[in-house]
């Protein structure tokens, strides 16, 4: 009996000895202290061994390696860590929109400047003084095109109609220099522009091409700007107290439990991130529609609304318009005299010099090897191919963000055993189900308390911005400028653009691909017989007309 009692005492002592060693090991906080130093924390005091945790408000309140100061700083750091993670994950998205917006904007502006400069240089060389005396007609055209592109309140159709009216007035005056053409008379002429069609069908085709191309270019760049702003704003997360508590519990409570090296379980991380990013996920449906609309307009920029393709044949088109005016000058003058009356004679005779004395070079288009360097050192096609790939990659970005954050090299234990990760309470398996995306799906989120009745106002504003932009893009795809539809006093919906529906290729394709018949080129002297009126007027008119149209295209 004594031997049995002695064995019991020895056994009991051995068990207590092992328990004491285990207890001492669990209470040792040296690993936590080292981990805190590595992370840059400067705590006034880190316990050497575990202490009672009644003071803790987020982490488990059993024995702990954390003081209240430590838990408070862990909360602050959790907020910063989360903001940094979202910033890092969204960096590529944001930089894509920033850089591509800059590239497209520079490209379009430089294209406008190059076109205006080359046209001006060509017309000064070719037409000299007659052009320079009337160049403001074209300067105004380019100024208005640039003002439209940069966001000005310009109705493209009205502006282009006005341009052709001004050009008709100048040309009519030059062709009828033996008469006194007053301002009132010019006003009368403008009323007959549509009936007379002095430039043939060129203005109608060019108007269709120019309006669609400029609407697409401006709207696309505006779309990139909106995407840039939304991405930048939404990436600056606004954390709720509940989110910060959940982040602290997930990221730093393992420190308090003496397990700083243990990472969160993946599903645990997903629930925390889905709760903290619930409003961002709600952005996704509108974001995806916006991306799809951007891709559709990008297709237009590659095809019939390509502003480069619109600009390249502009010199030939202007030449065609001028030739139409010269060919029809007699009939135009006759019909104007019928409608507006015959103006008073100027008392001077026309110049008797032949046209060839003044106009010794003919208009001809650039050959491919002569064309100026493309704007911004690239082409529109290359820019569009690049941006399309980037846009496709950005779809579902906001709903995929939790998954992107909860990977091994960022937050979680990754492929480690389900038993070897932090589940919010201890090291072990995480059992709750992963919640779906979006605010309403967080009603039963076990990790983050989310008020699903109060959507984030800031995120709602970004959703509205995307919705408005998507509507503009859809209109631009059809060649319409929604700004002028919305501002129409009559509410008729008429505005800049062709008003075409799904397929807008008839006039565009014809205008882009057809090669007009030009009666002569600039390489040789003008045959005076080919012009109806032998005077200085036709060259001047031709110069003005060509210049006008070329600028209009730009």
């Amino acid at each position: 009996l004594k031997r049995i009692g002695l064995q019991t005492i020895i056994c009991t002592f051995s068990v207590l000895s092992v328990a004491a060693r285990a207890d001492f090991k669990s209470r040792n906080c040296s690993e936590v202290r080292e981990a805190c130093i590595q992370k840059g924390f400067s705590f006034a005091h880190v316990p050497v061994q575990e202490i009672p945790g009644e003071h803790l408000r987020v982490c488990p309140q059993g024995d702990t390696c954390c003081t209240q100061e430590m838990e408070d700083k862990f909360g602050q750091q959790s907020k910063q860590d989360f903001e940094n993670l979202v910033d890092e994950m969204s960096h590529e998205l944001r930089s894509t929109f920033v850089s591509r917006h800059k590239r497209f904007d520079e490209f379009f502006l430089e294209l406008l400047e190059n076109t205006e400069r080359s046209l001006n240089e060509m017309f000064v060389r070719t037409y000299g003084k007659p052009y320079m005396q009337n160049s403001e007609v074209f300067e105004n055209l380019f100024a208005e095109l640039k003002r439209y592109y940069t966001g000005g309140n310009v109705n493209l159709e009205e502006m282009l109609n006005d341009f052709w009216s001004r050009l008709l007035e100048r040309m009519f005056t030059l062709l009828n220099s033996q008469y006194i053409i007053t301002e009132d008379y010019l006003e009368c002429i403008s009323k007959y522009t549509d009936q007379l069609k002095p430039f043939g069908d060129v203005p109608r085709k060019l108007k269709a091409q120019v309006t669609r191309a400029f609407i697409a270019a401006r709207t696309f760049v505006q779309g990139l700007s909106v995407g840039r702003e939304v991405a930048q704003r939404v990436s600056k997360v606004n954390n709720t107290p509940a989110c910060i508590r959940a982040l602290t519990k997930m990221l730093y409570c393992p420190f308090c439990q003496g397990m700083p090296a243990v990472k969160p379980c993946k599903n645990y991380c997903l629930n925390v991130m889905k709760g903290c990013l619930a409003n961002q996920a709600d952005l996704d449906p509108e974001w995806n529609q916006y991306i799809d609309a951007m891709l559709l307009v990008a297709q237009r920029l590659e095809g019939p609304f390509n502003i480069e393709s619109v600009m390249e044949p502009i010199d030939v088109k202007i030449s065609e318009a001028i030739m139409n005016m010269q060919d029809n000058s007699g009939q135009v003058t006759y019909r104007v005299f019928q409608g507006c009356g015959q103006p008073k004679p100027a008392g001077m005779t026309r110049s008797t010099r032949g046209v060839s004395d003044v106009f010794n070079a003919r208009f001809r288009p650039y050959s491919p090897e002569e064309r100026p360097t493309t704007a911004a050192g690239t082409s529109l096609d290359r820019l569009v191919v690049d941006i399309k790939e980037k846009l496709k990659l950005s779809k579902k970005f906001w709903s995929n963000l939790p998954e992107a954050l909860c990977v091994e090299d960022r937050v979680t234990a990754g492929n480690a055993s389900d038993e070897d990760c932090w589940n919010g309470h201890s090291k072990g398996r995480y059992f709750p189900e992963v919640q779906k995306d979006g605010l309403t799906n967080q009603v039963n989120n076990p990790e983050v308390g989310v008020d699903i009745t109060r959507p984030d106002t800031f995120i709602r504003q970004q959703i509205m911005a995307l919705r408005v932009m998507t509507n503009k893009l859809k209109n631009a795809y059809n060649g319409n400028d929604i700004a002028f539809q919305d501002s129409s006093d009559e509410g008729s919906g008429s505005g800049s653009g062709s008003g075409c529906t799904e397929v807008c290729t008839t006039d565009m394709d014809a205008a882009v691909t057809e090669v007009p018949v030009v009666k002569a080129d600039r390489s040789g002297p003008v045959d005076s017989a080919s012009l109806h009126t032998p005077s200085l007027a036709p060259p001047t008119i031709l110069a003005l007309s060509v210049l006008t149209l070329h600028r209009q295209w730009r």
Side-chain angles (χ1 to χ4, degrees), residues 473-537:
L473 288 162
K474 288 179 178 178
N475 276 274
Y477 175 78
N478 290 322
N480 300 320
D481 190 340
I482 194 172
F484 293 102
Q485 293 179 351
D486 290 346
S487 62
S488 172
D489 292 337
E490 296 79 12
S492 63
S494 62
S496 290
S498 64
C500 58
T501 55
E502 279 303 301
V503 181
C504 305
T505 55
T506 308
D507 290 342
M508 285 293 299
D509 291 345
V512 170
T513 57
E514 70 180 10
V515 179
V517 177
V518 181
K519 295 193 174 181
D521 62 24
R522 292 189 200 149
S523 57
V526 177
D527 179 4
S528 59
S530 69
L531 302 179
H532 291 165
T533 310
S535 73
L536 177 62

Side-chain angles (χ1 to χ4, degrees), residues 82-83 86-87 90-91 93-95 97-98 222-239 276-277 279-281 283 287 397-398 401 456-469:
F82 180 61
E83 291 173 357
V86 174
D87 183 76
S90 62
H91 174 75
L93 177 74
R94 289 180 287 117
S95 62
F97 278 92
V98 169
Q222 287 177 344
L224 289 173
S225 177
V226 168
R228 176 192 65 190
E229 294 303 314
V230 169
Q232 288 178 335
R233 290 169 180 168
V234 177
S235 297
K236 299 185 187 303
V237 288
N238 182 24
N239 296 312
C276 288
L277 296 169
N279 283 284
Q280 279 78 359
L283 187 78
W287 176 265
F397 175 84
W398 305 104
L401 194 51
D456 187 292
T457 304
F458 182 75
I459 296 294
R460 302 298 131 177
Q461 290 173 348
Q462 307 315 305
I463 289 174
M464 282 305 302
L466 288 172
R467 192 168 295 161
V468 170
M469 192 66 244

Side-chain angles (χ1 to χ4, degrees), residues 185-212:
Y185 199 86
L186 291 175
E187 202 170 309
C188 179
I189 293 175
S190 65
K191 296 176 183 177
Y192 290 90
T193 304
D194 291 339
Q195 299 175 25
L196 295 172
K197 293 189 177 179
F199 302 108
D201 204 34
V202 174
R204 184 187 66 83
K205 290 183 177 180
L206 281 174
K207 183 167 65 174
Q209 288 180 305
V210 170
T211 53
R212 296 169 187 174

Side-chain angles (χ1 to χ4, degrees), residues 8-24:
T8 302
I9 292 170
I10 292 171
C11 181
T12 302
F13 178 79
S14 298
V15 171
L16 290 172
S17 177
V18 170
R21 286 198 301 272
D23 183 59
F24 175 79

